[in-house]
Every structure is written in structure tokens, then in C-alpha cells.
């Protein structure tokens, strides 16, 4: 068995929830990236097929998903476990059973719960009443499992994370929030470039900047995309209207149009800079076809890395020993 899943850092994480990166130490967050790398290299190794033998994961998705759903389901399968996909409309949750009671019942039957929903408070409520680890599969505020795959992808393509300068361009949303909290833990410089009206939540900025002081990271906010991508190692973007914000689409498109990641903007970054996007993309809105399909794009490696990241998350938080 790899020591990466058995030492003191791994023991600290086992049995805990993964609701936001703000709850993790730098060492714990980096362990997720390292473990994801190990599991990626060992994808077909027999020892990995027994890591979660006999374990089950309940997956509640109140919003659509391709990558998160498939990667968690395949990760459970490849590690020897089983995943159940649950649509809240088909659960008694959809008829008014409380989140707390759902948590109590599921905890009697499964070994972990993944939830994608709207309010972060709902995920916290579920975790408060569950006796098994709860993993946040995206809320309006955070997307922590995404950031593990993002930083693994950056490290694979650009090397040591603490030397990198990365610019996130677009909406200061859930993906930006988790990227900021992750960047702060790996000592990276992250410039978050948004329209002033769509800047990240000041409380998340404060948490990221506070952590950055410990690790030597820099988390900077700015509004001018051309200046923000000047000489950087990577450019990251996400959709301009997230799930649940469809009603604000027109206003957002208007505000965000100058923030499109196109070839002209990308030409200001370093020549070997890579382009990331958590996907799904709205092609030719936040990112042009030319950039997304171009040689600097690593978006599909990033999507694949969700699988390896989920394996690390499941193995470390559910723990390798049945509890
Ligand atoms: N990036 C991401 O979470 O994709 P899905 O919405 O397809 O899960
Ligand atoms: N910010 C996007 C990410 C989708 C994976 C959303 O919340 O819809």
C-alpha cells in the first residue's frame, strides 16, 4: 500500500468532510494533488482496485453534471466500490423530507455522500447530520473537487506550482473561489481579473489572502484583462452565467464581453502558456474555438484529471480502512 494513503496527513483527513478548501491545511490540499498523481500513474495497477472495496458512495445531484458525475462514478468503480446516482426529485427530499433526515438515513447505508446543489448552507447542513464523509460536488459558492484537478493539470504542464503565475479571467464565481483557496495553499500567484460588478466574494478573498501570507502565494484582484495576462504561465476561464444564473445571462454577457479569452488576449501571455477551463464551455462566449481547440489548450487533460482527483479525494476522505 502506498504510504501516501497511510501516514499522519492521510490519517488526519480520513473520515472528514470535503466542503471547501478553506477547511484544509496546505499539507492536506497538496496531499490530494500528490495522491491524484500517484493514482493517475497507477491507473490499471491491481492494488488500486481494492482501495475502496465494498464501499458505497451516494451521489445527490440537484444540478446537471457530466464530468463530476461520471468521474466520481468511474472512480468508485475502478477503486472497487459502488456509486449510486440520486436525483433529489426522485428522493423523498423532493417531497419535503428534511436534509437532516436524509443525511441520517443515508449514513446508515453508505460510506460517503457526494452532493451538488445550490446553497453551500445545504451542504453544510447535510454534513452536520451525516455520520459519513460529505463531499461538495459544487455549490453556488465553491467547487472544491475541481480545484484539485486544476492544480494537478497545471503542475503536469508547467511544473512547480509555487513558481507559477496564473490569471483567471471572467466571472468571480464558485470555480474562481475554489481556485483562489487552492492557489493560496500551493504558494502560487493567482490574478483574478473580473468586471468590478462580478468580483469574487470579499470573504473568500480575505480567506485566500490570509492563507497566502503563510505560503508565499499571491492572490490579486484586477479588472484589466490585457494587463492581467501579461507574461503569465496560464490563463483560466469559466462560463459567464453559472447554473442557476440563467435569468442574469444578458446582463452578464454585456459586462463580461471584454473578458473573452481569445487569441489576441492569449498572445500577451508567455509563449508556452496553457489555457484551462473547467468545462462545459460556452464556445465563442468566454473562450473562442480557436483558443479552445488550439495548441495551448489543456482543457481535456484537465477534464480527465477530474477522474484521478476524485480517486484521491475518495481514498483520502473515505479512508482506506472501513470505519
Ligand atoms: N467541471 C464540471 O464540474 O463539470 P460538470 O458540470 O460536467 O460536472
Ligand atoms: N461555474 C459553473 C461551473 C460548472 C462546472 C457553474 O456553476 O455552472
Amino acid at each position: 500500500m502506498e504510504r501516501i494513503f497511510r501516514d499522519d496527513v492521510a490519517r488526519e483527513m480520513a473520515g472528514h468532510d470535503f466542503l471547501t478548501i478553506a477547511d484544509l491545511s496546505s499539507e492536506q490540499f497538496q496531499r490530494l494533488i500528490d495522491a491524484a498523481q500517484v493514482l493517475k500513474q497507477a491507473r490499471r495497477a491491481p492494488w488500486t482496485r481494492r482501495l475502496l472495496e465494498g464501499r458505497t458512495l451516494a451521489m445527490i445531484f440537484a444540478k446537471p453534471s457530466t464530468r463530476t458525475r461520471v468521474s466520481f462514478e468511474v472512480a468508485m468503480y475502478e477503486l472497487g466500490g459502488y456509486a449510486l446516482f440520486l436525483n433529489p426529485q426522485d428522493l423523498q427530499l423532493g417531497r419535503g423530507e428534511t436534509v437532516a433526515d436524509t443525511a441520517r438515513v443515508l449514513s446508515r447505508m453508505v460510506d460517503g455522500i457526494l452532493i451538488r446543489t445550490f446553497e453551500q448552507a445545504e451542504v453544510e447542513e447535510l454534513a452536520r447530520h451525516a455520520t459519513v464523509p460529505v463531499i461538495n460536488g459544487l455549490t453556488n459558492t465553491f467547487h472544491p473537487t475541481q480545484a484539485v484537478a486544476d492544480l494537478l493539470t497545471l503542475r503536469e504542464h508547467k511544473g512547480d506550482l509555487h513558481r507559477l503565475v496564473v490569471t483567471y479571467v471572467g466571472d468571480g464565481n464558485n470555480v474562481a473561489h475554489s481556485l483562489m483557496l487552492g492557489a493560496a495553499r500551493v504558494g502560487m500567484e493567482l490574478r483574478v481579473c473580473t468586471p468590478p460588478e462580478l468580483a469574487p466574494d470579499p470573504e473568500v478573498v480575505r480567506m485566500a489572502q490570509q492563507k497566502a501570507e503563510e505560503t508565499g502565494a499571491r492572490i490579486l484582484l484586477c479588472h484589466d484583462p490585457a494587463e492581467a495576462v501579461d507574461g503569465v504561465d496560464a490563463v483560466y476561464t469559466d462560463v459567464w452565467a453559472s447554473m442557476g444564473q440563467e435569468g442574469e445571462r444578458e446582463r452578464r454577457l454585456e459586462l463580461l464581453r471584454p473578458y473573452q479569452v481569445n487569441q489576441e488576449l492569449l498572445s500577451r501571455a508567455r509563449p508556452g502558456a496553457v489555457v484551462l477551463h473547467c468545462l462545459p464551455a460556452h464556445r465563442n462566449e468566454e473562450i473562442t474555438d480557436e483558443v479552445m481547440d488550439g495548441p495551448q489548450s489543456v482543457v481535456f487533460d484537465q477534464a480527465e484529471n477530474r477522474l484521478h482527483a476524485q480517486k484521491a479525494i475518495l481514498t483520502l476522505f473515505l479512508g482506506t480502512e472501513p470505519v
Side-chain angles (χ1 to χ4, degrees):
M1 174 65 63
E2 296 285 335
R3 278 192 38 189
I4 203 161
F5 299 118
R6 292 284 170 118
D7 68 359
D8 287 347
V9 179
R11 267 193 292 274
E12 263 165 37
M13 297 170 80
H16 285 271
D17 302 318
F18 186 31
L19 309 187
T20 165
I21 292 167
D23 294 339
L24 301 189
S25 67
S26 293
E27 227 180 356
Q28 291 170 342
F29 183 67
Q30 297 202 36
R31 173 58 57 92
L32 289 171
I33 304 170
D34 292 343
Q37 182 82 61
V38 166
L39 289 166
K40 182 170 186 174
Q41 277 153 6
R43 176 145 186 211
R44 307 283 174 199
W47 66 267
T48 66
R49 293 195 204 121
R50 293 188 300 271
L51 277 173
L52 293 178
E53 198 164 32
R55 308 294 205 86
T56 48
L57 178 75
M59 309 193 303
I60 304 173
F61 278 87
K63 288 176 175 174
S65 171
T66 298
R67 281 142 288 266
T68 308
R69 175 181 174 176
V70 175
S71 57
F72 269 103
E73 192 161 336
V74 172
M76 283 304 290
Y77 173 73
E78 290 192 0
L79 300 180
Y82 181 75
L84 302 91
F85 174 76
L86 303 171
N87 176 346
Q89 285 317 307
D90 301 333
L91 295 175
Q92 297 289 9
L93 195 56
R95 292 181 53 248
E97 186 167 20
T98 65
V99 169
D101 287 346
T102 305
R104 292 180 181 114
V105 171
L106 289 178
S107 296
R108 300 291 182 104
M109 301 183 190
V110 302
D111 301 292
I113 305 170
L114 169 73
I115 177 163
R116 166 171 289 196
T117 190
F118 294 84
E119 300 304 326
Q120 182 72 12
E122 188 179 334
V123 174
E124 285 164 11
E125 166 88 353
L126 187 82
R128 242 190 326 276
H129 298 280
T131 55
V132 296
V134 172
I135 300 168
N136 177 357
L138 180 147
T139 61
N140 294 347
T141 320
F142 294 119
H143 196 2
T145 65
Q146 178 71 50
V148 180
D150 297 343
L151 290 167
L152 171 64
T153 310
L154 276 168
R155 194 169 74 180
E156 282 179 340
H157 284 276
K158 303 305 301 174
D160 280 351
L161 293 170
H162 65 272
R163 292 170 194 263
L164 298 187
V165 184
V166 175
T167 298
Y168 174 94
V169 194
D171 180 23
N173 63 14
N174 46 5
V175 168
H177 286 162
S178 291
L179 189 66
M180 288 161 63
L181 295 172
R185 279 158 180 74
V186 299
M188 199 170 94
E189 176 171 328
L190 178 68
R191 306 174 184 172
V192 181
C193 182
T194 68
E197 298 85 343
L198 298 173
D201 181 330
E203 176 56 17
V204 179
V205 176
R206 189 196 60 75
M207 287 191 294
Q209 287 179 339
Q210 189 180 31
K211 190 59 153 182
E213 279 176 25
E214 277 174 37
T215 61
R218 297 181 74 204
I219 308 297
L220 308 168
L221 300 192
C222 49
H223 306 300
D224 178 346
E227 212 177 290
V229 303
D230 188 38
V232 299
D233 300 296
V235 179
Y236 193 130
T237 191
D238 185 19
V239 291
W240 289 345
S242 286
M243 291 179 277
Q245 297 176 329
E246 291 76 10
E248 298 173 29
R249 204 177 130 71
E250 289 316 312
R251 172 181 164 261
R252 290 173 156 275
L253 255 58
E254 202 56 46
L255 287 170
L256 283 155
R257 203 155 285 131
Y259 294 78
Q260 184 186 65
V261 176
N262 51 38
Q263 205 56 49
E264 191 194 330
L265 186 69
L266 185 58
S267 68
R268 295 176 176 269
R270 291 177 91 136
V274 293
V275 176
L276 292 99
H277 190 310
C278 64
L279 304 182
H282 280 203
R283 284 171 171 265
N284 302 312
E285 281 183 14
E286 75 276 2
I287 187 166
T288 59
D289 280 340
E290 190 183 11
V291 170
M292 181 138 155
D293 300 327
Q296 289 169 272
S297 168
V298 296
V299 302
F300 297 109
D301 291 343
Q302 186 184 359
E304 178 194 322
N305 281 340
R306 298 296 307 283
L307 171 65
H308 311 299
Q310 316 310 26
K311 285 184 175 177
I313 291 163
L314 289 164
T315 307
L316 285 161
F317 288 106
L318 267 52
T320 51
E321 308 288 351
V323 270

